[in-house]
Amino acid sequence: MMTRNAIILAAGMGSRMKSKLYKVLQPVAGKAMVDHVLTQIEKAGVDNVVTVVGHGADAVKNLLGDRTQYALQAEQLGTGHAVQQAEPLIGDAVGTTLIVSGDSPLFTAETFNKLYADHEAKGNAVTVLTSKAPDPSGYGRIIRGGDGNVDKIVEQKDANAAEQAVTEINTGVYVFDNQLLFQSLAEVTNDNAQGEYYLPDTLEILKGEGHVVGAYQMDDFDESMGVNDRVALATANAVMRKRINEKHMRNGVTLIDPLTTYIESDVVIGNDTTIEPNVFIKGNSVIGSDVVITAGSTIIDSTIEDNVTITSSQIEDSIMHQGSNAGPFAHLRPKSDVGENVHIGNFVEVKKATLGKGTKVGHLTYVGDADLGEDINIGAGTIFVNYDGVNKFHTTIGDHAFIGSNSKIVAPVNIGAKAMTAAGSTITDDIPAEGLGIARARQTTKENFYNRTAQGHKEAEENK
């Protein structure tokens, strides 16, 4: 049975990145580079995937889990040596094998499938993925023979003037006949300045045995970008961000200024949603239709249903149901569940709380560790006092309750349906349904008190 296989090279340290984080784990649009590569290979429907790990092996395995098999390259002795580590896992497979670096996050499943198809249709021993480079400096040049196949690949330092003028470059991605791949790797030597085994040496070996080395030229040069340092990482992020934003706009999302809108790769957004500049949407967020997200908002790992408005606010690991709104300057912390048509006003913080349909929390309020029913009004300056320095405690408030401004709700406490608290109260005991809780000192008024003050005495002396 013919199979499609893939080998991801992810063993390198990436010293030019100057980071404690291994190179293939550096994020592009919120996802590690190696995860982008594997995701596109999965979308291409590949049968067997082997990721060659070395530096940071455990971290890579923890990230990718059982989506791939793993081969360990304990010593980094070149790309050819890295690929050889996969032989015990797929060496006997009949079919084709894609080889791609884990630091090339911009390749797409469409490109991989076209490369596989071209290779299989032509019956090549190996097919090199190539591209036309706007500036080919530093790349290996593809020199084709009269039959259109690859005559040789010439590195920049070895190219003559005519070869340097060639703009078709080697992207470093290949598809091999699987069994010929491992047969030719067995003949590769490390007789070079670095003492390493290089994968491209297999091309000359296969040609020498009479096999065809073909080339497939892809359309988008940007896909071929490898990331070796922070400058290239920023460029890859910019390319990915442009790709993601264009996808959403073509699907009916309005981005007022795409250049200043940051949307990560796994975000889902419905049509007729409008997003203003300087908005960040991250993680596995799902945004519905007819949503308005204004400038300066950040949404992380949250679900935003249809017809929601978020005004210059931060939402993380929370859900906002249809017709609700937040902001300006609201903060929904993890496990906030904002019901239909709920209003979260300016400078309101919510954490681990459920707010029922139609409830209003207007401004300058903290709601934490609480279940609020429907159609509740929370007055300005209310604080849910939920933490005693060791433990968190819970508050429950029934439907149609009214919490007066500047109330302090000291948990654990239950406030019944249609109950009220007087403004300025510190509530420490339960309030029954339809009851009123008042917990404040009675006002005392001192008449003519000004005359007792220092300023009053001063004015009295001056008026004598």
Side-chain angles (χ1 to χ4, degrees):
M1 175 182 171
M2 298 288 289
T3 62
R4 285 185 174 181
N5 312 285
I7 298 172
I8 303 173
L9 304 181
M13 177 67 182
S15 58
R16 280 181 284 174
M17 198 66 71
K18 293 181 169 58
S19 174
K20 295 181 287 296
L21 185 65
Y22 301 105
K23 181 171 69 169
V24 298
L25 298 178
Q26 295 287 339
V28 171
K31 179 184 288 189
M33 292 193 288
V34 69
D35 196 348
H36 279 292
V37 175
L38 178 56
T39 296
Q40 296 305 313
I41 288 173
E42 290 169 332
K43 289 181 178 179
V46 174
D47 299 297
N48 304 298
V49 185
V50 178
T51 301
V52 181
V53 294
H55 291 290
D58 288 342
V60 174
K61 290 179 180 180
N62 287 338
L63 174 69
L64 302 182
D66 60 5
R67 296 162 58 195
T68 171
Q69 301 179 77
Y70 298 95
L72 177 65
Q73 186 186 23
E75 293 183 87
Q76 276 63 65
L77 300 177
T79 52
H81 178 258
V83 173
Q84 279 184 312
Q85 309 314 302
E87 185 170 7
L89 297 173
I90 60 170
D92 294 332
V94 177
T96 54
T97 297
L98 170 77
I99 300 174
V100 59
S101 174
D103 63 2
S104 303
L106 299 176
F107 285 113
T108 64
E110 181 182 10
T111 294
F112 290 153
N113 273 326
K114 287 180 177 179
L115 176 60
Y116 275 119
D118 184 81
H119 172 85
E120 291 162 356
K122 294 176 180 176
N124 298 334
V126 55
T127 303
V128 184
L129 182 63
T130 73
S131 184
K132 286 281 189 179
D135 178 5
S137 301
Y139 290 94
R141 306 303 203 279
I142 300 295
I143 309 301
R144 293 185 185 247
D147 58 3
N149 292 321
V150 176
D151 184 39
K152 59 182 176 177
I153 301 174
V154 183
E155 298 303 320
Q156 172 85 24
K157 65 181 185 304
D158 300 321
N160 59 36
E163 291 166 342
Q164 289 190 16
V166 173
T167 60
E168 186 179 14
I169 58 93
N170 178 17
T171 68
V173 176
Y174 310 87
V175 167
F176 283 81
D177 174 282
N178 187 66
Q179 294 185 336
L180 289 177
L181 166 64
F182 291 107
Q183 290 172 22
S184 60
L185 279 172
E187 300 179 39
V188 172
T189 70
N190 65 343
D191 185 17
N192 52 62
Q194 301 299 322
E196 294 186 350
Y197 300 87
Y198 294 131
L199 178 64
D201 289 353
T202 59
L203 276 61
E204 285 299 319
I205 292 171
L206 290 169
K207 281 189 62 180
E209 295 174 350
H211 297 290
V212 175
V213 176
Y216 173 76
Q217 186 180 116
M218 67 180 187
D219 298 326
D220 184 0
F221 171 73
D222 284 342
E223 284 191 38
S224 67
M225 183 186 303
V227 176
N228 292 311
D229 58 24
R230 303 295 180 120
V231 175
L233 184 65
T235 304
N237 268 289
V239 172
M240 185 69 80
R241 184 166 63 250
K242 182 174 183 289
R243 181 189 295 177
I244 291 169
N245 288 355
E246 286 183 357
K247 176 192 73 173
H248 288 300
M249 288 188 287
R250 295 187 190 284
N251 287 337
V253 177
T254 296
L255 303 184
I256 302 300
D257 184 5
L259 292 178
T260 61
T261 303
Y262 177 87
I263 303 172
E264 290 187 345
S265 57
D266 291 334
V267 171
V268 176
I269 306 177
N271 65 333
D272 289 322
T273 283
T274 298
I275 301 173
E276 292 186 355
N278 298 313
V279 167
F280 293 78
I281 307 178
K282 301 181 178 182
N284 294 310
S285 294
V286 177
I287 314 295
S289 297
D290 300 294
V291 173
V292 176
I293 305 172
T294 76
S297 295
T298 298
I299 301 170
I300 305 169
D301 291 325
S302 295
T303 298
I304 311 298
E305 293 186 351
D306 298 347
N307 297 294
V308 169
T309 298
I310 298 170
T311 306
S312 303
S313 296
Q314 179 158 324
I315 319 295
E316 51 184 313
D317 192 18
S318 295
I319 181 168
M320 295 183 67
H321 294 281
Q322 291 191 23
S324 60
N325 63 82
F329 312 118
H331 185 187
L332 301 189
R333 291 168 58 194
K335 298 183 180 179
S336 296
D337 188 328
V338 177
E340 291 184 22
N341 301 317
V342 166
H343 169 59
I344 303 292
N346 50 315
F347 301 104
V348 170
E349 180 179 351
V350 180
K351 188 271 295 183
K352 198 178 179 182
T354 300
L355 285 71
K357 181 178 179 180
T359 286
K360 296 177 175 58
V361 188
H363 29 231
L364 303 165
T365 290
Y366 170 68
V367 180
D369 292 277
D371 285 318
L372 277 61
E374 297 183 358
D375 295 314
I376 295 169
N377 186 84
I378 305 293
T382 295
I383 297 174
F384 284 64
V385 185
N386 61 328
Y387 183 48
D388 67 359
V390 178
N391 298 305
K392 299 289 182 71
F393 296 95
H394 197 79
T395 294
T396 301
I397 300 180
D399 298 344
H400 309 292
F402 184 95
I403 306 301
S405 295
N406 199 33
S407 292
K408 309 296 183 293
I409 312 298
V410 183
V413 69
N414 295 309
I415 297 175
K418 298 182 181 179
M420 303 177 67
T421 70
S425 293
T426 298
I427 303 299
T428 58
D429 297 323
D430 293 352
I431 302 174
E434 302 185 11
L436 169 64
I438 305 174
R440 62 191 184 200
R442 187 176 297 275
Q443 179 175 324
T444 299
T445 302
K446 304 290 186 180
E447 296 185 2
N448 300 317
F449 188 76
Y450 181 74
N451 293 330
R452 304 181 194 180
T453 66
Q455 183 63 28
H457 286 302
K458 180 179 178 182
E459 291 181 6
E461 290 295 322
E462 291 173 349
N463 292 331
K464 283 183 179 180

